[in-house]
Structure formats: C-alpha cells, structure tokens
Amino acid sequence: MEPPVRLASTGTIIHGVSVGEVLGVSTLADARLIAGESGLGRIVQRLNVMEVPDILAWVKPHELLLTTGYPLRNTPQSLGRLVADLDERGLAALAIKLGRYVDELPGEMVEQADRLGFPLIILPNDVGFDDILNQVLTDILNRQAAVLARAEEAHRALVQVVLAGGGLNEVTAEVAALLDVAVAAVDGSGRVLAAAGPSDHVAALRESIAREGPPAPAPGDLPGTAGRTLASVPVVAGGHHHGRIIAYSPTGAIRDSDIGILERTATVAALVVTRQEAVNAVESKYRADFLRDVLTGRAGGAERISARARAFGWDLERPVTVLVAELDPDGDERSAQDRMVNGWTAAVRRHDPRGAVAGFSHEVVAVVDAALDASRVAKDAAAALADALPATFSTGTSRRCTAPATLPEAYSQALKAARVGRQLHGPGAVAQFDQLGVYRLLSLVNDTDELHAFVRETLGPLAGDDDAENGDLRRTLQVLLETNLNVAETARRLHFHYNTLRYRIGKLERMLGNFTEDHHLRLNLTLALHVLRMRGI
C-alpha cells in the first residue's frame, strides 16, 4: 500500500506506513493482534505514548498510541469506551503492554475494536517503547524520503520535457509513462487538449470527461485507501484557472502519492499554457496587423496577400464574405472584447477552418467562405459570449467578394451593415449590406442635425412621441404607405372599421398635406419614417 499525500507546506511528516507494516518490524516480531484485523490498512504517520488519563486531549489523527496501561489502572470501567473515543479521533491503532498495570482487556473493548476495525495490539514485555519509536519513525521517514525523491525525479523529467520545447502532448505522455495510467490535460471548459496512455484507457477517459465533465480535485488526505480510478488537479497560473490534469486507471491503481506527481505535472502544464499564451498573443498581433492591412488596402498585391494568408492557414483567393462584429455600448469593453475574439475564433474554426479572423480595437473581423450562412456563424459566436458575460455585439455582412483587391470595399460594407443594423434593430442585430436598402443611403448622411430637421419639417407634430395619439396616427400613415394607399388592406391590418380609417386619413392630410394625391410628398413621408426607424439618428 502506498501512503497518503497531504500538503507538504505544513512542515510535518506527510507520509506513513500501514499498521500491518508496523507489525512487520523486527522489534514487534512477538506482538499479537487481538482485534481490529480489518483496520490493518490504517496509516501510521506518528507515534505517541499514553502517560496521562486524559490522553484524548493530546492525541492526533494517524497516531499509533503506545501504553503500559498505567493511566488506566484505577479506571477499568473506562476501557470499553476508550476504543470508540480513539477511533472517533482518527487514531491508527492502540498497542498496550499487559501484566504490569492492566492484566487483561475487557471483552467489550475487544468486540468494539473488531466492530470498528480498530487494531488492538498486545506488545511483548521485553521491548522498550524507545526501540519501537525509533524503528517505526525511521521507516516512516524513509518512506517519506522515497516518495519525495520520486516526486522530485518526476518533476525534473517534466521540466526537461518543457526545456526541450515540449508541449502538453509531451507532458501528458511523460507523466502517463511515469504513473502507468491514462492522463489528459483539459481546458476550463472541459475540452481535452492532450492525452496519453494506453489507447483503450485514453478512450475511456475521454468518454468520461465528455459525459460527466472533469472530476473534482482529488482529496489530499485519504488514509487507508488503496487507490482510486480518477484523480484531478487544477492547472493554475497567475491566479487564473486554465483547466485540469486528470489521471485515469480502470484498476484503481492511482495511489495517494501519485497525487503529488500530478500536482507537479499541473505546475509544469501551467508553464506550458502561459508560454503558449504568450506565443499566441504575438501571433495574434501579427495576424491582426496583416488582416488590417489587407482590409485597408495596404497589404500589397494579390500574390503577396495570398502567400501571407496561406502562411496563417487562411484562404483569401476563393469567394468570401467579410463579417464585422462590433461590441454594443454599455459593457466592460476590454473584458468583453477578449471574450468576443475568443468566441469568434472558435466559431470560425468550427464553420470554416480556412477562414481568417482577428480582433481589432473595438471589433472582430472575419473573412469566411461566401457559401456559409453568416448569421449562423454570428449566432454561435454570440452564444459563447452570452455564457461568459452579459454583453452583446452587432454583426454586419458584406456582399460576396471574389478577389483580395476588393476586400477593403467588402470590409466597409460589413462595418456599415453592423452600425446601421444596430440603429434599426437595437443591440445584437445581424444585418446584411445588400438588405439595407434605403437605409444604406441614409447612413451616408453625416449631418444628423439635417436629418432631424428633415423629419420635423416633413412629419410636423407626428415627429415626436409627446402625444400618444400622434404615435397612433404615425403608425396609420406608415401602413398606408406600405400598402400603397390601399384603404381596405390598411383597415384589415390595423383592425379598423373602414369609416374610422377614412376619418384618420382626413386628419393626416390636414396635418401633413394632400399626400394621397402628391407622390413627391409620399416619398418624403416614407423617407422621414425610415429616418425615425434608424436608432441613434
């Protein structure tokens, strides 16, 4: 049996030997186990000598308690309860010398020890406590030294893997070979980043992670356990949780001391993850700078653009669509921007592995296969952001782009679609440039004061929402214009009586002019209503 592992930072003995192993030392060759045989697997981490009647106040878990019975000589009636009290405090066993102060142990005490699996040991009279203490403590310290040496050896091997340029694949392979188990490194969402070990065991581990998620971290102090099937330790660096290292053995061969090696593995994995993040940050900057140059027309000729794009794994020579995702106002912009980049990167990888994606200062830009459903890609990216932060983004889609030289124009179209879509439909909108219609033209008017003046001059009192009746009349006007002045259809849509609608048309003409006869006025009224729909204008 391998001893348990606890946090080494306590400065105390952290490994031990089982009661059965204690009985095997030479000084206890003549000792007799009279009860509690089922508890021989209990772990002894320290020894204590019972010198006072109130020993319960001084004992600690995992102790082997030695006594001559002197403190109990005048209170034999308390012996029956002593086993239960010691077991409750987590002691490993009680070893007693009979004949000097206590002639025999009560039958009740023996029965209770058997019932609780608490070993009762009769010590030979010719063995001194100091001999037992020296030999057992020496065995415990030797065991501790061996386990720590094994952990240090594993740590050196893992560090060498990293220094040689190895990543998570090599780290998991090394620890899988050291422990003879299946090992996986998973990220914070439970996605397996690397795995190693026997193929059937790795398959079972992947299935378990996919079905139930990563197991909880393995407890650090499980005395008396022979092993476990699954063990998990967190990978933490810089105060951030990066995932877990998970070990799996179908035979329950993961020993308590192996947890220490898994913790060393997690430390090394954190080093690998942070190193990769630094590399990714630099690569991401290069990708973003190059894509920005492409979209602003500063990247050079088509051949140069195509060659550099292929180096990044992008295909910009096929027909593509440009998507722009802009964060909507009101949110933690820096944190949300990082999440949005990650969400879009993952979404583009799923839908188009050869697609380009990069984060700019306030937006994410993706260049994907023109045959893809852009709204579906945007929906997937939005779902990732919704799970992490209460933030939204508006997405715009360009026309089909058939050559790298036209990408700057496509980028401008997508950006315009994102902004106009937000004005029309609010946060989280997904708009296509080709579907903007007249709003595309209205968005070109930079002088918003002029637009406001046009609305007021054209709609008069209907331009504001101060009066609820004006809002109703504006709705009537809008439906009339949409139906090309079809009174019957307008009445049906608005659920009005025909005469009621005729009365409203008369009132609208007194306020706005004879729009039923003047097609120029109808055009102006239609444009004014469109401007009102553009939020933020």
Side-chain angles (χ1 to χ4, degrees):
M1 166 177 289
E2 198 66 27
V5 177
R6 295 185 297 156
L7 294 177
S9 60
T10 58
T12 62
I13 293 175
I14 59 173
H15 301 285
V17 295
S18 68
V19 175
E21 289 173 314
V22 169
L23 290 174
V25 302
S26 59
T27 55
L28 296 178
D30 296 328
R32 292 184 297 114
L33 178 73
I34 64 169
E37 184 176 0
S38 63
L40 288 178
R42 291 180 180 232
I43 297 301
V44 177
Q45 292 180 336
R46 56 177 67 86
L47 287 84
N48 197 355
V49 178
M50 185 175 184
E51 298 176 335
V52 293
D54 58 341
I55 188 63
L56 294 176
W58 306 99
V59 297
K60 296 178 180 179
H62 317 310
E63 281 186 345
L64 170 61
L65 186 60
L66 308 175
T67 183
T68 60
Y70 178 78
L72 306 173
R73 66 192 188 286
N74 298 322
T75 57
Q77 67 277 6
S78 65
L79 291 177
R81 178 61 192 167
L82 180 62
V83 168
D85 290 337
L86 295 177
D87 178 71
E88 186 178 317
R89 283 162 175 77
L91 261 73
L94 174 65
I96 187 170
K97 285 187 177 183
L98 296 179
R100 298 184 62 184
Y101 304 107
V102 176
D103 293 330
E104 62 178 353
L105 298 180
E108 177 188 354
M109 185 178 184
V110 175
E111 291 175 4
Q112 192 171 55
D114 271 330
R115 187 169 63 253
L116 296 173
F118 183 84
L120 282 181
I121 302 168
I122 302 300
L123 296 173
N125 289 322
D126 59 345
V127 176
F129 284 173
D130 57 340
D131 294 329
I132 298 173
L133 290 168
N134 288 336
Q135 194 165 16
V136 175
L137 284 176
T138 298
D139 283 357
I140 292 174
L141 292 173
N142 287 341
R143 177 68 61 83
Q144 175 171 313
V147 172
L148 291 176
R150 178 171 175 253
E152 286 298 327
E153 181 182 353
H155 185 72
R156 284 195 296 271
L158 292 169
V159 169
Q160 281 301 120
V161 168
V162 176
L163 292 178
L168 289 177
N169 287 322
E170 290 75 18
V171 169
T172 54
E174 182 72 22
V175 74
L178 285 170
L179 302 182
D180 193 24
V181 297
V183 177
V186 302
D187 62 14
S189 63
R191 182 169 60 96
V192 176
L193 303 175
S199 58
D200 53 338
H201 296 176
V202 170
L205 176 55
R206 286 179 178 273
E207 183 180 349
S208 174
I209 294 171
R211 183 177 62 252
E212 303 174 6
D221 192 5
L222 290 176
T225 58
R228 56 176 65 84
T229 299
L230 275 172
S232 169
V233 294
V235 176
V236 180
H240 298 288
H241 187 281
H242 295 281
R244 295 191 180 281
I245 297 295
I246 305 172
Y248 168 73
S249 170
T251 61
I254 303 173
R255 297 161 295 184
D256 295 327
S257 62
D258 293 340
I259 304 302
I261 293 179
L262 291 177
E263 288 172 345
R264 302 291 183 97
T265 305
T267 300
V268 173
L271 177 63
V272 173
V273 169
T274 52
R275 181 188 66 185
Q276 189 58 48
E277 285 184 344
V279 172
N280 290 343
V282 174
E283 290 181 348
S284 178
K285 183 179 185 304
Y286 279 122
R287 286 194 296 267
D289 288 347
F290 170 63
L291 188 57
R292 185 183 288 107
D293 288 344
V294 170
L295 298 177
T296 54
R298 300 196 304 265
E303 289 187 7
R304 183 172 184 271
I305 291 174
S306 298
R308 289 197 63 187
R310 284 194 295 271
F312 288 122
W314 301 343
D315 183 359
L316 301 184
E317 297 175 279
R318 58 186 173 164
V320 294
T321 301
V322 177
L323 288 77
V324 171
E326 269 197 330
L327 274 173
D328 294 320
D330 303 327
D332 183 349
E333 185 171 318
R334 181 67 264 168
S335 176
Q337 175 74 8
D338 292 340
R339 296 279 189 175
M340 187 169 72
V341 171
N342 293 336
W344 270 93
T345 301
V348 170
R349 282 176 181 168
R350 285 194 297 271
H351 292 275
D352 183 8
R354 295 184 300 160
V357 59
F360 298 166
S361 58
H362 301 287
E363 65 199 39
V364 175
V365 180
V367 183
V368 300
D369 190 338
L372 283 178
D373 181 352
S375 61
R376 184 178 176 187
V377 179
K379 183 179 180 181
D380 280 3
L385 191 64
D387 292 340
L389 289 170
T392 60
F393 56 81
S394 296
T395 306
T397 306
S398 74
R399 290 172 175 162
R400 179 187 175 95
C401 177
T402 57
T406 60
L407 284 170
E409 181 183 355
Y411 169 61
S412 177
Q413 293 169 359
L415 190 60
K416 186 179 299 295
R419 293 174 178 174
V420 174
R422 181 189 295 116
Q423 290 173 341
L424 291 175
H425 308 297
V430 179
Q432 296 183 12
F433 183 75
D434 275 343
Q435 297 177 357
L436 294 180
V438 70
Y439 297 107
R440 192 166 76 233
L441 299 177
L442 292 174
S443 68
L444 296 175
V445 180
N446 295 323
D447 190 346
T448 57
D449 289 338
E450 188 62 34
L451 286 176
H452 283 299
F454 172 73
V455 170
R456 289 193 301 270
E457 292 167 3
T458 305
L459 294 179
L462 298 187
D465 291 322
D466 297 337
D467 190 332
E469 184 183 6
N470 288 339
D472 289 340
L473 288 171
R474 191 169 65 234
R475 170 63 177 159
T476 301
L477 175 64
Q478 180 177 330
V479 178
L480 272 169
L481 295 173
E482 288 174 355
T483 61
N484 198 24
L485 302 182
N486 187 322
V487 178
E489 176 62 18
T490 302
R492 186 188 67 80
R493 288 192 189 183
L494 296 176
H495 307 289
F496 287 162
H497 189 276
Y498 183 85
N499 291 334
T500 301
L501 183 57
R502 296 301 307 178
Y503 168 77
R504 286 196 167 214
I505 293 174
K507 188 169 185 178
L508 285 169
E509 289 199 312
R510 287 192 295 274
M511 297 173 68
L512 305 173
N514 188 18
F515 64 87
T516 59
E517 302 292 338
D518 187 345
H519 66 277
H520 291 294
L521 178 56
R522 288 200 299 273
L523 175 60
N524 287 342
L525 291 171
T526 301
L527 287 175
L529 290 172
H530 283 323
V531 171
L532 280 181
R533 282 198 63 197
M534 294 182 68
R535 304 183 185 197
I537 293 297

